Amino acid sequence: MTQKVAVLGTGKIGEALLSGMLRGGWPPADLLVTARRADRAEELRTRYGVTPVTNAEAAKTADTLILTVKPQDMGTLLDELAPHVPAGRLVISGAAGITTSFIEDRLTSGVPVIRVMTNTPALVDEAMSVISAGSHASEADLAHTEEIFGAVGKTLRVPESQQDACTALSGSGPAYFFYLVEAMTDAGILLGLPRDKAHDLIVQSAIGAATMLRDSGEHPVKLRENVTSPAGTTINAIRELENHGVRAALIAALEAARDRSRELAAGKKD
C-alpha cells in the first residue's frame, strides 16, 4: 500500500471507495482526490485527510487513477488526462458502458486499463464489484484492482463482453430491491400496518433472505419451496405474482438496462 491512488470525480461512489480504502489501511497521504467544485474538494480534505489535486496533477503523480465520473463526462476527462498519463499508469474506470478500448484509444499506447462496475452498497462495505481487464492490463494490475475494491465489498472477474449484463444485474441491482421494498411497504400499509412497522418487517426479511442465499448454498428455488406449503399463504401470493407477469417484467427490465449500457458505450446520451 505504498502506491499513490487518485480518485477522479469523487462523488458518492468515489467517496465510498475512498473511505473504504482508508478503513482498509491506505494512508491518507497516499490518496489523492479530484472534484469539480473547490468546496467539494475541501470537504474531502477535511473529512478524510486526503489531498485534493487537479486532474492533470493526479495523472502526473498517482500510480493508479480511478475514474468515477459519469459516462457522458468520460470523453472530456480523457482529453484532459491524455497529455499527462505515462504508459505505465494503471487506469481504472467505473463508468457504466464505457469500454476499455474507448479509454485505451484516447491515452498513450500501452496504458493498462481495467473496467469495474460497482454498486451503491459500497457505502456500507457490501458492494459487488465486477472487474474486466483491458488489452494491456496484467495479473498484477487485476490483483491491485481487487485489493482496492475489496475494501468495500466483494469482487468478481468477468470477460468484458459480460460487463453490460453485469451492469444491468448488479450495478443497477440495488435499485430493483429498493423498488420492491417500496412496493411491499405500500402493500403493508394497505393491509393495515403502520409504515414504520411494515418497513422494519420487510427490511429484516430481506436481510435474512439475503443471508440465507449467501450462506446456505441452497438454490433459490429450494429456499422458496421451503416457505411454500400446500394451499398456504405463500403459494397464493406467488400465483398472483405469476399471473401479473412479474418474472417476465424483471427479465424485460434487465434487458432494457443492458441495452442502455450498450447505448452508453456507443456514445448515445438520450
Side-chain angles (χ1 to χ4, degrees), residues 26-42:
W26 263 265
D30 289 340
L31 296 175
L32 310 177
V33 296
T34 78
R36 182 171 294 181
R37 304 189 326 271
D39 60 332
R40 171 62 172 165
E42 189 56 37

Side-chain angles (χ1 to χ4, degrees), residues 13 94 96 116-122 126-131 149 152-158 162-178 250 253-255 257-258 261:
I13 289 292
V116 180
M117 174 47 58
T118 192
N119 56 19
T120 55
E126 290 291 350
M128 182 70 250
S129 301
V130 184
I131 298 171
F149 283 84
V152 293
K154 186 176 180 179
T155 64
L156 178 69
R157 296 186 191 184
V158 301
Q162 296 176 1
Q163 274 281 355
D164 292 323
C166 291
T167 297
L169 198 64
S170 179
S172 300
Y176 313 147
F177 288 99
F178 299 147
L250 281 171
L254 267 66
E255 288 178 333
R258 178 208 58 197
S261 183

Side-chain angles (χ1 to χ4, degrees), residues 193-268:
L193 291 170
R195 178 176 293 276
D196 59 341
K197 288 185 171 58
H199 177 82
D200 288 347
L201 286 166
I202 295 161
V203 170
Q204 185 55 40
S205 297
I207 292 169
T211 302
M212 290 178 70
L213 281 166
R214 183 188 63 192
D215 297 344
S216 70
E218 295 281 4
H219 193 281
V221 170
K222 176 64 175 175
L223 293 174
R224 177 178 61 76
E225 288 176 344
N226 290 342
V227 188
T228 309
S229 56
T233 59
T234 305
I235 191 60
N236 275 273
I238 296 293
R239 180 187 62 185
E240 288 303 312
L241 291 173
E242 294 292 350
N243 286 344
H244 286 80
V246 171
R247 187 187 302 265
L250 281 171
I251 292 171
L254 267 66
E255 288 178 333
R258 178 208 58 197
D259 293 346
R260 180 55 180 156
S261 183
R262 290 175 176 173
E263 289 174 356
L264 290 170
K268 184 176 181 180

Side-chain angles (χ1 to χ4, degrees), residues 28-136:
D30 289 340
L31 296 175
L32 310 177
V33 296
T34 78
R36 182 171 294 181
R37 304 189 326 271
D39 60 332
R40 171 62 172 165
E42 189 56 37
E43 176 188 346
L44 293 167
R45 183 206 298 271
T46 302
R47 184 175 298 168
Y48 300 108
V50 297
T51 304
V53 294
T54 66
N55 290 329
E57 289 170 338
K60 293 174 184 176
T61 59
D63 301 288
T64 300
L65 305 176
I66 305 175
L67 315 184
T68 63
V69 298
K70 295 178 180 179
Q72 57 266 35
D73 296 329
M74 184 62 77
T76 301
L77 176 61
L78 292 172
D79 289 342
E80 184 178 355
L81 296 178
H84 310 291
V85 178
R89 189 76 76 240
L90 174 60
V91 176
I92 301 171
S93 168
I98 301 298
T99 64
T100 56
S101 61
F102 178 92
I103 298 171
E104 290 166 350
D105 290 346
R106 286 158 177 77
L107 298 177
T108 301
S109 178
V111 169
V113 178
I114 291 180
R115 178 177 172 182
V116 180
M117 174 47 58
T118 192
N119 56 19
T120 55
L123 294 164
V124 292
D125 293 346
E126 290 291 350
M128 182 70 250
S129 301
V130 184
I131 298 171
S132 302
S135 301
H136 310 295

